[in-house]
Amino acid sequence: MNRYPRNGSAHTPILVFAGIVGLSVLFFFIFSAGSFGKKESPAAPAPAPGARTPVVPAKLPADAAVSVPLPGETPAGVPQVTASATLEGLLAELAGLLAAGDFAAMEKFTVASDNMAPRTAFLKQLLLNCGWRVASNPWVDAGTITGVNRRELKLEPANPGVAKPAGAVMADFERVAGSGWRVKAWRFDAALVTQAEALLAARAITVSASGLTDAPDPLDQARRFLKDVVGHDFKAARSITEASGVTHEKLAGLCIVFEEGEYHIADTRPVVVTAGTADSAWAIVKVRSDKQNLDSEVGITLQRTPAGEWRVQALDFNKMLESYVQATGGGSVFYSPLVKSAKGGESIVLYFEFDKAELHPRALHQLDIISSLLKSDPARKMRITGHTDALGADDYNARLSATRAKNVHARLLELGVSATQIETSGLGSKIPLDQDKRADGSDNPDGRSRNRRTEIYLDF
């Protein structure tokens, strides 16, 4: 006899199935509970053709360009000016846009103003219709003036046979607090504007030169002056200096030091101009001699004339001169191309060996430079005075000093200087630059070395 009823085995499959379903529901709730209450974010719409992809500032590199409203210059309805977090980032961005001819994008980096509109349009013409292109390394640091960083944009012929630009294109950059760097102004040399007008006219394109150029400011004049000095263009350098503040001898001495030391203007922050008043400014020019591995500087004081022209009023290159003299000094012949004269003012100086009248190799080099200054204008005059130290008889020293002056005279004649431009005299030991003896009565070799010389006075 069976213990269990027959119908018990019939319900067993149903109970098993129900248990499985229950466990499935339980596991579903356990693993899905964390996602309850959350909604899926809708997919971002695809940008319209040509639209600018929005940027996320937190993910931008340090030099990325971002569109930011600049205070007081982007009222409602006016396109925002684009600024760059770093100047180098902006320079790279502009170079690429200008090379690609994307002027619309380039203009977003430029402050909008009535003055800038024709200049931006003129820049387009230079690159589109004058046969020029942006150079591969387009930017040259021109210096700073009262917080504005100026760079030269180098243009070059796009094809053989095209004339080189006759002048420079400059860009002034300024930094706006809280936003970044942007182009404040484009500046064009007058010679470039004249050249471009002719090139465009040949293609039946007319441009108005009105408002395209600016009067040279202190930074322009400081750069022009040093460019003339480096290029040995004494006449051009003289044309923007005040003779009352910068003697001919001092200017010639600066030319000599630049030439002998093979100095050039530094590549980074070469000129820093600080405005003193509306009519005065100071410029510090950084210079470099790779030959002597020397870094130095030249100070330039500039004044505005009543006519509004900025001119070089004073020069200070003592630091440059002292470091160069120290680096090249030594030996039995003293060296300094420029000294305070015993007669007052300054003079160019050539030094000699003891008891000799032959020209030292360095003196020969100095005369090469001086001769180029004299030959550029036959009306210029020069006075040469010979000198000795105090050793020896007076009549002997008088003859020796006269011979030294005559040897300088003869060398200048060999270099093509007219005899009518030169006057010579021998003064013996009458006008020493230094003491021949020390206070205790002992010999002073260094002082006597300074006294063995000829002095050159330039009467321009």
Side-chain angles (χ1 to χ4, degrees):
M1 183 174 176
N2 293 332
R3 275 186 190 177
Y4 304 103
R6 292 180 177 271
N7 59 359
S9 59
H11 291 288
T12 298
I14 296 173
L15 293 174
V16 172
F17 176 77
I20 293 172
V21 171
L23 290 173
S24 299
V25 172
L26 177 62
F27 279 110
F28 172 78
F29 278 98
I30 291 173
F31 290 105
S32 302
S35 62
F36 282 10
K38 292 186 178 181
K39 294 182 180 180
E40 182 178 354
S41 300
R52 196 170 183 176
T53 304
V55 295
V56 183
K59 296 183 179 180
L60 285 175
D63 61 350
V66 294
S67 294
V68 292
L70 300 178
E73 296 186 5
T74 53
V78 178
Q80 293 181 353
V81 177
T82 299
S84 177
T86 67
L87 179 56
E88 293 304 319
L90 177 55
L91 294 173
E93 182 82 7
L94 284 176
L97 295 174
L98 290 169
D102 192 348
F103 298 104
M106 181 272 293
E107 288 182 8
K108 294 180 181 179
F109 290 97
T110 304
V111 175
S113 68
D114 293 338
N115 187 45
M116 282 295 287
R119 297 187 183 212
T120 302
F122 182 69
L123 180 60
K124 293 180 186 179
Q125 293 294 344
L126 295 182
L127 293 172
L128 292 178
N129 295 308
C130 288
W132 298 322
R133 65 187 177 193
V134 175
S136 56
N137 293 311
W139 298 107
V140 176
D141 194 342
T144 62
I145 177 169
T146 57
V148 173
N149 190 296
R150 185 167 296 167
R151 299 290 175 112
E152 179 180 350
L153 176 63
K154 292 170 61 179
L155 303 183
E156 62 184 13
N159 296 296
V162 177
K164 293 181 179 180
V169 177
M170 296 287 181
D172 281 355
F173 298 89
E174 66 177 0
R175 186 175 186 176
V176 180
S179 52
W181 289 89
R182 44 74 176 293
V183 182
K184 180 182 180 181
W186 293 105
R187 301 167 61 92
F188 307 100
D189 280 355
L192 176 68
V193 173
T194 300
Q195 180 189 26
E197 282 185 298
L199 292 172
L200 294 171
R203 303 189 64 175
I205 300 173
T206 302
V207 295
S208 173
S210 177
L212 293 179
T213 59
D214 302 282
D217 63 16
L219 178 54
D220 292 325
Q221 292 296 72
R223 292 183 70 250
R224 174 186 167 187
F225 173 76
L226 265 297
K227 181 180 178 182
D228 293 337
V229 170
V230 173
H232 313 136
D233 193 340
F234 186 91
K235 187 174 184 178
R238 177 83 277 173
S239 69
I240 58 172
T241 59
E242 291 293 338
S244 59
V246 181
T247 65
H248 306 296
E249 291 82 6
K250 191 161 194 172
L251 183 53
L254 181 62
C255 292
I256 289 171
V257 176
F258 261 92
E259 170 72 11
E260 286 195 338
E262 297 180 13
Y263 280 94
H264 60 83
I265 301 173
D267 296 327
T268 305
R269 289 177 62 84
V271 185
V272 177
V273 175
T274 302
T277 67
D279 296 319
S280 65
W282 294 271
I284 299 297
V285 183
K286 296 196 312 185
V287 296
R288 168 75 182 170
S289 170
D290 297 324
K291 175 183 178 181
Q292 301 294 335
N293 193 27
L294 291 174
D295 292 298
S296 194
E297 60 187 35
V298 177
I300 302 176
T301 302
L302 300 108
Q303 293 283 340
R304 192 203 299 265
T305 68
E309 179 190 9
W310 287 94
R311 295 177 64 82
V312 176
Q313 183 69 30
L315 288 177
D316 180 2
F317 58 100
N318 289 335
K319 180 179 178 181
M320 176 185 179
L321 183 59
E322 290 171 4
S323 61
Y324 181 65
V325 169
Q326 184 176 3
T328 59
S332 58
V333 177
F334 186 81
Y335 173 68
S336 177
L338 188 71
V339 297
K340 293 290 184 181
S341 173
K343 289 186 174 181
E346 294 162 315
S347 60
I348 300 170
V349 187
L350 312 177
Y351 296 93
F352 294 81
E353 296 276 2
F354 175 69
D355 199 30
K356 292 185 179 179
E358 291 78 17
L359 294 173
H360 189 274
R362 178 172 282 141
L364 292 172
H365 192 194
Q366 288 176 259
L367 291 175
D368 287 341
I369 300 171
I370 295 171
S371 68
S372 66
L373 305 181
L374 288 170
K375 288 186 293 184
S376 64
D377 186 350
R380 294 174 177 174
K381 298 285 187 180
M382 168 189 287
R383 290 181 293 116
I384 303 172
T385 59
H387 303 266
T388 69
D389 61 29
L391 293 183
D394 290 344
D395 58 344
Y396 178 83
N397 286 336
R399 290 194 300 272
L400 179 59
S401 65
T403 302
R404 286 172 174 171
K406 289 177 181 178
N407 285 348
V408 173
H409 183 189
R411 177 58 181 170
L412 289 172
L413 295 181
E414 291 175 2
L415 293 171
V417 178
S418 171
T420 60
Q421 293 179 264
I422 308 171
E423 299 176 1
T424 64
S425 62
L427 300 179
S429 60
K430 295 178 181 178
I431 309 177
L433 286 179
D434 204 344
Q435 298 297 319
D436 290 286
K437 292 184 178 182
R438 298 186 178 94
D440 60 5
S442 61
D443 183 42
N444 182 13
D446 291 339
R448 290 194 296 104
S449 179
R450 290 192 66 202
N451 292 332
R452 298 192 297 266
R453 71 198 190 278
T454 59
E455 293 191 35
I456 300 175
Y457 303 86
L458 305 174
D459 299 327
F460 295 111

